[in-house]
Amino acid sequence: MTDALELDALWEDFHRVVNMTSQELAAWLRVRDADENAEPLPDEAGTSTGQHVLAILQKRRTDLTDDDLRVMHRVVDTVTARTDLEDEPAAEDTRLRHLLMTVGHDPLKP
């Protein structure tokens, strides 16, 4: 486990880059995996990382596991590497937007 200062910094960074609520992320994961014939079960929709982000959003800081911390680091790194949070991607970049939304970051959300 990390020390308290590192945990605080990671918590803040994670919640800065994950700008979708748990409800928004859950809905996006279901829509993303739905097709014209079926919609997945809520706990089976989306990627394993997307599902893990959703679980983290529903936890308190004190309940985080080492696995949660690894996922949080990966999400922060992914979002910051793919976009400059000060200069979000253009609306036309749908593929990048959908990739980022899968880990809880909607670049078009204010």
Side-chain angles (χ1 to χ4, degrees):
M1 204 66 150
T2 59
D3 69 26
L5 290 176
E6 290 174 359
L7 180 59
D8 288 346
L10 178 59
W11 181 264
E12 293 300 319
D13 287 345
F14 179 79
H15 284 89
R16 177 180 49 85
V17 300
V18 176
N19 65 356
M20 296 170 71
T21 66
S22 57
Q23 294 85 4
E24 291 169 332
L25 179 56
W28 165 249
L29 294 175
R30 284 192 308 274
V31 166
R32 179 186 169 276
D33 279 4
D35 63 26
E36 60 188 51
N37 297 320
E39 182 176 324
L41 296 172
D43 60 342
E44 295 175 3
T47 64
S48 60
T49 301
Q51 283 293 326
H52 203 139
V53 169
L54 185 59
I56 292 168
L57 288 174
Q58 297 168 346
K59 289 185 175 186
R60 296 177 309 185
R61 186 181 330 203
T62 57
D63 296 332
L64 296 173
T65 65
D66 287 341
D67 196 35
D68 294 336
L69 299 178
R70 279 189 289 279
V71 169
M72 290 170 73
H73 277 291
R74 189 168 57 232
V75 168
V76 169
D77 292 345
T78 298
V79 173
T80 55
R82 301 226 177 218
T83 184
D84 176 358
L85 293 177
E86 301 301 317
D87 184 27
E88 295 292 354
E92 302 84 43
D93 198 349
T94 304
R95 187 169 163 257
L96 177 58
R97 179 179 183 229
H98 289 177
L99 171 73
L100 293 171
M101 288 174 66
T102 301
V103 294
H105 179 77
D106 185 351
L108 299 181
K109 190 174 179 180

